[in-house]
Amino acid sequence: MVIYKTYNQQELNLQFNNRFHVPDFNNYLQHWETLSRQTEKELKVIKDIPYGISIRECLDVYPSLQPGSKTLVFIHGGYWQRFDKLLFHFIAKTFYSYGITTVLINYPLAPDVKMDEIVMSCSKAINWIHENIAMYNGSMNNIFIAGHSAGAHLAAMLLLQEHTQTNLHFIKGMCGISGLYNLVPIHLSNINDIVKLDREMTIDNSPALKEPGKICPVLLACGAEETAEFIEQSRQLKNNWQKKISSIELTEIADLNHFSILSSIIDTGSVLHQSVCNLMKI
């Protein structure tokens, strides 16, 4: 039976099963862990700073040596149900040499909380960063947001009209890496066994189906070796948002999958690394 587009249930589930399509996915996770623990040893980091009352409403900061530095906020993925900011500390080392203060945030996970609460926690985090990042040599008015997979979804949600009522003028750019922006197929897939979206929540939390309220440059990137539906997610966001955002770019990078694309960010010669640097003007 067709569930979504031309997909039956099994086919739809497989479109979003990145581990099935990348059998050696664990090698990437282990590499990120190794790089992140090395980063902790080499650079100063302030860990587990609370931005809310939940145990997972906390963040880690790698301060630049220069006061007033541009700030990069990274939101991790994991289908809103797994992973921790600790696995992604290697992102900080990548941009430290450019004089960037990097912030990595945690947020409450499903099934303990609903999607609305996850999004609100990220909104709370970005406002906390704006108000406090100067203490960590970051600029409160020069903040860039990046996310991978479900983290890219959360980054995009921060730009929606309903989440920018406080006029988030300090967000200067957003980078979504292999993101999920239309949650309708997620609602219909087995991922929803844990995330537990209902129809209303699905639409409310689908940035591709909404208009951005914050107008800033947007960089979207995905791997050409990802599934058709993952690539379509980025294409749909670009097509829908380009009517409102003049500076929105989509880069589909050859030979990269859902995991290798994030790994490529540490390669200074890679398309993703150079694109992020261009976004941040560094």
Side-chain angles (χ1 to χ4, degrees), residues 6-7 11 43 45 62 70 80 122 130 144 155 159 166-167 178 184 188 206 215 239 274 282:
T6 62
Y7 301 112
E11 291 167 341
L43 302 178
V45 57
Y62 281 86
K70 293 179 179 178
W80 310 278
C122 291
H130 169 62
F144 295 80
L159 303 188
T166 54
N167 187 20
S178 299
V184 172
L188 298 172
S206 291
I215 310 302
N239 290 339
Q274 293 180 355
I282 54 176

Side-chain angles (χ1 to χ4, degrees), residues 25 40 43 62 71 91 115 142 214:
F25 72 90
E40 266 191 322
L43 302 178
Y62 281 86
T71 298
I91 302 289
M115 186 66 72
N142 214 347
K214 168 62 185 173

Side-chain angles (χ1 to χ4, degrees), residues 32-45:
W32 298 347
E33 174 69 21
T34 298
L35 292 176
S36 292
R37 301 294 70 78
Q38 289 174 348
T39 300
E40 266 191 322
K41 293 177 181 178
E42 295 173 9
L43 302 178
K44 177 182 178 181
V45 57

Side-chain angles (χ1 to χ4, degrees), residues 17 35 42 73 77 79-82 89 95-96 112 123 162 165 183 187 215 225 230 262 270 277:
N17 188 341
L35 292 176
E42 295 173 9
V73 181
Y79 278 132
W80 310 278
Q81 60 186 275
R82 65 174 72 96
H89 277 208
F95 294 97
Y96 183 79
D112 293 340
S123 180
E162 51 262 48
Q165 294 174 359
L183 301 192
H187 176 229
I215 310 302
E225 297 302 311
F230 250 100
L262 185 59
S270 72
C277 287

